[in-house]
Amino acid sequence: MANTKRKLPVWAIILYSFTALILLAGVGIMIFGFINSATILPYKRQNILEYFSDEASYYTVSGTVEDVSLGEAENGAYPLEVTLKDVTSEEEGINERGIVTFTLPQETYFLLSGNGFFTALAEGAEAEFYMAWNVWGNVEIAAFTEVSVNGTSYLEAAESRGYLLDWVQNDLE
């Protein structure tokens, strides 16, 4: 018996190579997707900074406070969940009743605490938020730079926007 080597046809080699390339690309996409969803990559952080720096991203939402919940600080910010009824806004698509979880950078939280904001933001109060909201992958951020409750203003836009941008740049994970 002679030892004969069997040659693969060219089409099989191309097919196997193409299949291997697709499998490697799929694994690469899955790894990148995991890293992208688990971290704030530099390009995503830059997009978030640009969004919250742009005045066109902001709009006013006002309504009657139905419920308020303040969470514990995480990544340098506090989650403030506000449920409003009888909502009005210049932004299209805003419902008449809504729940928003705002992100309050620590400096903004401390400023609002010192001004009595959390005491004023009680059930039945009329609140108006100058806010921006967007989603970047699994990162959802709603933030306000001005807020008033029952006609009393509690934030200066320039100062609070500075705190927000600083938080995005340094603490957002």
Side-chain angles (χ1 to χ4, degrees), residues 34-106:
F34 175 75
I35 290 171
N36 190 27
S37 67
T39 62
I40 298 293
L41 297 175
Y43 75 88
K44 191 183 289 186
R45 187 178 306 277
Q46 184 61 38
N47 289 344
I48 295 169
L49 276 170
E50 288 171 7
Y51 180 80
F52 284 111
S53 295
D54 185 3
E55 185 66 29
S57 301
Y58 291 82
Y59 51 92
T60 302
V61 172
S62 60
T64 305
V65 176
E66 199 171 83
D67 191 36
V68 177
S69 172
L70 182 64
E72 295 295 317
E74 186 177 317
N75 297 324
Y78 290 82
L80 172 66
E81 186 176 284
V82 179
T83 304
L84 296 174
K85 63 181 177 181
D86 304 324
V87 175
T88 59
S89 177
E90 75 247 9
E91 184 73 7
E92 290 184 29
I94 302 291
N95 296 328
E96 290 182 19
R97 181 178 181 276
I99 300 172
V100 180
T101 301
F102 291 108
T103 300
L104 298 178
Q106 283 185 350

Side-chain angles (χ1 to χ4, degrees), residues 30 47 56 84 87 108 142 147 171:
M30 288 187 331
N47 289 344
L84 296 174
V87 175
T108 302
V147 64
D171 296 319

Side-chain angles (χ1 to χ4, degrees), residues 106-123:
Q106 283 185 350
E107 292 85 356
T108 302
Y109 168 79
F110 294 137
L111 182 65
L112 290 171
S113 291
N115 291 341
F117 169 75
F118 297 107
T119 304
L121 191 68
E123 185 179 339

